[in-house]
Amino acid sequence: MASFTKYVWSLLLGNAAGNASPIHAALIHFPATLYPIAFGSDLIGLALDRFPVTTLVQGLGARGLYALSYYATAAALVTTIPAALTGLAEYFAINKTRSPEAKSYAFWHGALNFATGGIALFNFLTKRKTIDYAPYNFNVFLSGVGFVIVFSSLYLGGHMVYKYGVGVRRMGTGVEPTPNPNSDLKTELNVPEILPKVSEKAKKI
């Protein structure tokens, strides 16, 4: 049982078949894209209902957008499951002693994603009972809140990777990269340093 658990854990971290790349960052793109699509579809659909260009556009356009929002929400909920499982594995892989800041960021990153999933599930269950999956006003409002939460969570996720190296520093030394012909472009353009260099503390994570 212990070996099976370790195998599953290793798989969730992306350590399988000689591949040491974390897969959470790849999986999160699906729900992160589908949630805004659902919100935007409802928003435009409501606009067509309230301010119709023609009767045909009002009927077909709004109904089609409501259906798109409904199924995008369903797809987002499904793709959230593997993203959440791999994210949970990444969370427990963070060394809290070495980097308590990264652990804290990861906690809030996960909490925001959990809140977004809760909003999406509520909207999905609510709209499945309406005609043409038309949303109530509070559904659109909650989707807007979820939209803001998603991008806040994505910011925290990027912050953890780029500042603390969460999920990537454990991979060790990779293949020697091919020389970049544009490597001196930064010097030629005199691009200033915006962010400080990664600290030694972050490199040890």
Side-chain angles (χ1 to χ4, degrees):
M1 183 64 181
S3 59
F4 175 76
T5 304
K6 288 183 178 180
Y7 176 78
V8 173
W9 189 260
S10 181
L11 184 64
L12 291 174
L13 289 174
N15 300 322
N19 176 27
S21 300
I23 57 178
H24 175 69
L27 293 175
I28 199 64
H29 285 78
F30 295 100
T33 302
L34 290 165
Y35 285 131
I37 288 176
F39 170 57
S41 299
D42 275 342
L43 204 60
I44 298 173
L46 279 180
L48 290 177
D49 265 346
R50 301 287 174 84
F51 310 102
V53 179
T54 64
T55 304
L56 180 63
V57 172
Q58 179 186 16
L60 297 180
R63 286 200 297 270
L65 287 168
Y66 292 153
L68 173 61
S69 173
Y70 177 78
Y71 288 110
T73 302
L77 288 170
V78 172
T79 55
T80 292
I81 296 173
L85 290 175
T86 53
L88 193 63
E90 293 287 354
Y91 173 78
F92 286 110
I94 299 174
N95 190 317
K96 185 177 181 179
T97 303
R98 289 183 177 179
S99 183
E101 299 91 351
K103 196 78 170 183
S104 177
Y105 275 113
F107 172 81
W108 287 109
H109 173 70
L112 290 175
N113 288 333
F114 182 81
T116 303
I119 290 174
L121 181 60
F122 176 79
N123 282 344
F124 175 78
L125 295 176
T126 303
K127 292 194 292 183
R128 68 182 300 189
K129 300 178 181 179
T130 64
I131 299 175
D132 296 327
Y133 306 120
Y136 296 104
N137 289 336
F138 64 80
N139 289 130
V140 181
F141 172 76
L142 288 176
S143 291
V145 173
F147 178 79
V148 175
I149 293 176
V150 163
F151 278 91
S152 300
S153 174
L154 290 174
Y155 170 79
L156 291 180
H159 192 71
M160 286 188 294
V161 172
Y162 289 106
K163 183 174 182 179
Y164 298 103
V166 173
V168 294
R169 293 195 179 278
R170 68 170 182 271
M171 294 187 295
T173 305
V175 179
E176 189 68 25
T178 304
N180 182 3
N182 296 318
S183 59
D184 59 343
L185 188 60
K186 181 178 178 181
T187 304
E188 291 179 4
L189 297 178
N190 194 26
V191 179
E193 290 288 347
I194 299 177
L195 297 175
K197 294 182 178 180
V198 178
S199 64
E200 292 299 323
K201 183 179 180 181
K203 291 180 180 179
K204 295 178 181 179
I205 300 174

